Amino acid sequence: MEPLKLSRLLYRAKVWFSHRRLSSSISQAQRANTRKEEFRSRVAAGPLLKDFVSPVPASSAPSCMEEDDDDDDPHYITESPPTTHNKVYFETYGCQMNVNDTEIAWSILQKSGYVRVNSATEADVILLVTCSIREKAEQTIWNRLKQLGFMKRKRCNSQGPMRIGILGCMAERLKEEILQREKLVDILAGPDAYRDLPRLLSVAETGQQAANVLLSLDETYADVMPVQTSSNSVSSFVSIMRGCNNMCTYCIVPFTRGRERSRPVHSILEEVRMLSSQGVKEVTLLGQNVNSYLDTTSVQIPSTETPHLSRGFSTIFKPRQGGLRFVDLLDQVSRIDPEMRIRFTSPHPKDFPDEVLHLIRERHNICKQIHIPAQSGSNRVLEAMRRGNVSGVHSHFILYWMYLLLFIGVSLSSDFITGFCQETEDDHQQTLSLLRDVSYNAAFLFAYSMRKKTRAFHRLIDDVPPEVKKRRLEELIEVFREEAEQVSQRAVGSTQLVLVEGVSIWHVMINTLS
């Protein structure tokens, strides 16, 4: 064949194959587009998300004329059903604030479908509301965890796994140490994380440890109505604020409960009214420093007056202006039920206003009992504690409060710490003198134990030997008991209004023996 003809044939063959490949590519693309269109059509004709959930009954659907804050929420989303292992048992340690925290935590869990039981052996969840103010309080929790660990290991498989949680100050202070040292602890929740308890427990059900110990600048649980642990209780605690700003050198509270923030007045009044309707005869307003209470959220006309410190005291914090203060709150609370007794704890002596004292004298249902944490009788020790005292204040302080005691007929109680850093024997004797001069009718006496994170831990030395602390504490207890007995003796022959809370065990024993 001639070369010219051969080249023409090769060219035609090349063109033919090129057209064939192009046609094949176009056909494949067309088939792919056809398949996509068919898939879209099938999806469009298929079921929607609403076909997989139960429709909202017409009777429960909100009316078009009703105002509903949740109107934008998708009604096909419902809450998860409560866990089948939902029996919870609480153990509360420490101060009155922890009692109130227990009621808040229980209120939150109750709404999530949990049931409260009165025995740890029948519980699926055991929650310890803990205290971290002293080493002895923490050691009590460590010992209890060993007992619960034994109970957890011996639990029958048919009962399901037992979950153990640490709540409150100890969870906030120790965090990782608890999770690492005690593998049996399933959840940790700090004082500002109780709203997260249902989620934490759900995570724990999967076999993982769960923790939330974040502190808040605004959490007051104002919208959570605490549920009392006892349905027939005649007294109750009402938290009015959380946290503390005083930063005393020995105190761990600012680090475990955060900065100070106050609960709105209307929320407190609502709770007190509810307690009154339930037959509660006495409420105690709780706060780390109730006299620094300040509600700036109230719609009422705020006060522009700057509070004055007590005589002989100073503060490192700038005074805050405006808002409703503790005397305003106490005034409104005492008006709710004239037959309901009102108490409060604890005030700091540096900012105890005279207006509160006048109100106590005026209102018969505000108990004539004032708790003033003195901590020490030595000015030198008080300065080391950063209690806001200036030189020589305690002598004036004693005379001032003794005058008030006679003027309005109040009884005084206090807190004392012995064996603080560099406390001398002379400092100790001054504290004993304070106990004798004031004659407290109640007192909480403790030997100092250093807490990590505090200013004392970083700046001071815990140099008082344990045996000296023990001996000084015993002497404080002895002097206090002597003075308290004299206070009781002076009340012999007087008529006092008392609150009967229940049957005394001593009464039962006497009846049994007779």
Side-chain angles (χ1 to χ4, degrees), residues 58-69 71 75:
S59 59
S60 64
S63 169
C64 295
M65 301 300 293
E66 294 177 351
E67 292 186 2
D68 190 354
D69 293 338
D71 194 48
H75 295 292

Side-chain angles (χ1 to χ4, degrees), residues 121-132:
T121 55
E122 59 178 319
D124 303 308
V125 180
I126 299 177
L127 300 177
L128 308 183
V129 185
T130 62
C131 175
S132 203

Side-chain angles (χ1 to χ4, degrees), residues 288-301:
Q288 301 300 329
N289 180 19
V290 292
N291 283 135
S292 62
Y293 174 88
L294 182 66
D295 175 20
T296 57
T297 65
S298 177
V299 298
Q300 303 182 47
I301 300 175

